[in-house]
Amino acid sequence: MIKLIASDIDGTLMPYGRTELDPRLFPLIHRLREQGVLFCPASGRQFHSLRRLFAPIANEIAFLCENGAILYGAGTEEDAPVLSKTVMEQEKALALCHDILALPEGAHIVISGANTSYLMTADAPFREQLVAVTGNATALVDRPEDVPEEILKVSLYRHSGAEPDADLLGPRWAEQFRMTLAGPGWLDFMSADKGDGIRGICAALGLTPDEVVAFGDHYNDVPMLEAVGIPYMMEGSDDYLKGRFPRHCSNVEDTLEEILAGLEKKA
């Protein structure tokens, strides 16, 4: 019996370039809840940004945020319980930040706390873009050392693509942190991944992997898909990823309809 459905957002629930979810998703999530199934967005986005996307049902679902570094249970933004939180080692995280700042021009850095994205003061125009596109709660700091809380994730964004930066940073940092290409232009570093997040929510709710469905489209989704019993890879993913996961999905809402048909028939 399915008890939890987790889904990546960008490139999975929401095609790249879009800024809003398909409205028909929300009644599907209500119907899943009626069948005893909890829905959980699983994203590199922060809690505030995800709640904005899921506003009609934000108090009723769990949230796997920052690629698994922090996991919230159901509730309001102010009182939702933190089910798990994995911070980066502070000294190493700050050293990584300075390595990113030393990269060739065009690389932007985003330092993630529990529910705030910190950007460098000189990156104010990029901050406006980030707020406009993802709705992040943000703050500007002069130096990475000025971030006033524990660091959960350090991200690099380059409009032309972050693969060259991964080649430069990987030799020093790929073994220190979980390094992953997290979508067009993004490179993330954490001490957790989406697989850790899924295992965290399963432990909190007493679920086993075979009771969990997950949807993903990119390399940062692989740990999550490996951690569940029923993984789906999006049809638009590259051939290597589709080869690893034989269940493919062209539209998450359509697949949720199929899952609901089976659950409602059994009920």
Side-chain angles (χ1 to χ4, degrees):
M1 178 64 73
I2 296 169
K3 296 293 185 182
L4 173 69
I5 296 178
S7 179
D8 173 54
I9 306 301
D10 298 286
T12 302
L13 269 179
M14 193 165 66
Y16 291 115
R18 282 186 52 180
T19 59
E20 295 182 353
L21 295 165
D22 187 332
R24 72 185 178 112
L25 175 66
F26 304 126
L28 291 173
I29 292 174
H30 276 302
R31 286 168 58 196
L32 286 167
R33 197 69 180 131
E34 289 171 358
Q35 297 300 319
V37 181
L38 178 65
F39 188 84
C40 179
S43 174
R45 295 184 182 221
Q46 67 174 203
F47 187 43
H48 180 78
S49 172
L50 286 171
R51 289 186 61 88
R52 176 174 168 268
L53 269 180
F54 287 86
I57 53 166
N59 293 346
E60 305 169 33
I61 59 179
F63 289 93
L64 189 160
C65 312
E66 307 293 0
N67 276 333
I70 189 164
L71 177 69
Y72 292 88
T76 67
E77 187 161 358
E78 293 73 28
D79 66 14
V82 175
L83 303 181
S84 69
K85 179 180 176 182
T86 306
V87 304
M88 301 173 76
E89 188 178 328
Q90 190 78 357
E91 266 189 42
K92 291 181 180 178
L94 293 174
L96 167 62
C97 290
H98 285 286
D99 279 1
I100 292 174
L101 291 171
L103 289 170
E105 186 177 353
H108 303 280
I109 185 171
V110 181
I111 305 170
S112 299
N115 199 20
T116 302
S117 297
Y118 298 92
L119 291 84
M120 299 301 102
T121 302
D123 243 355
F126 177 64
R127 178 194 188 186
E128 295 175 10
Q129 174 188 337
L130 191 68
V131 170
V133 173
T134 66
N136 280 31
T138 64
L140 293 174
V141 293
D142 292 328
R143 309 171 305 150
E145 288 79 6
D146 296 334
V147 170
E149 61 176 302
E150 294 174 313
I151 296 174
L152 303 187
K153 185 179 73 174
V154 175
S155 302
L156 176 156
Y157 176 78
R158 188 182 293 276
H159 181 72
S160 59
E163 289 82 359
D165 301 299
D167 292 338
L168 290 171
L169 296 168
R172 181 178 182 187
W173 295 111
E175 292 185 7
Q176 304 284 334
F177 297 117
R178 312 282 177 88
M179 183 181 86
T180 183
L181 292 165
W186 287 97
L187 179 66
D188 287 349
F189 296 86
M190 303 144 296
S191 291
D193 58 34
K194 290 186 181 182
D196 296 316
I198 288 293
R199 286 184 286 272
I201 193 170
C202 285
L205 301 179
L207 304 180
T208 58
D210 61 324
E211 295 175 304
V212 185
V213 177
F215 297 88
D217 80 305
H218 213 273
Y219 286 90
N220 66 323
D221 298 316
V222 168
M224 172 175 70
L225 298 178
E226 290 178 334
V228 306
I230 310 171
Y232 284 89
M233 183 60 71
M234 298 304 290
E235 285 286 3
S237 305
D238 68 39
D239 290 339
Y240 171 76
L241 291 174
K242 288 192 291 185
R244 286 195 62 181
F245 299 97
R247 289 186 186 88
H248 299 160
C249 172
S250 57
N251 181 279
V252 174
E253 289 82 6
D254 289 346
T255 303
L256 293 180
E257 287 276 17
E258 294 170 8
I259 290 171
L260 273 163
L263 293 172
E264 291 168 347
K265 184 176 181 181
K266 289 177 183 177

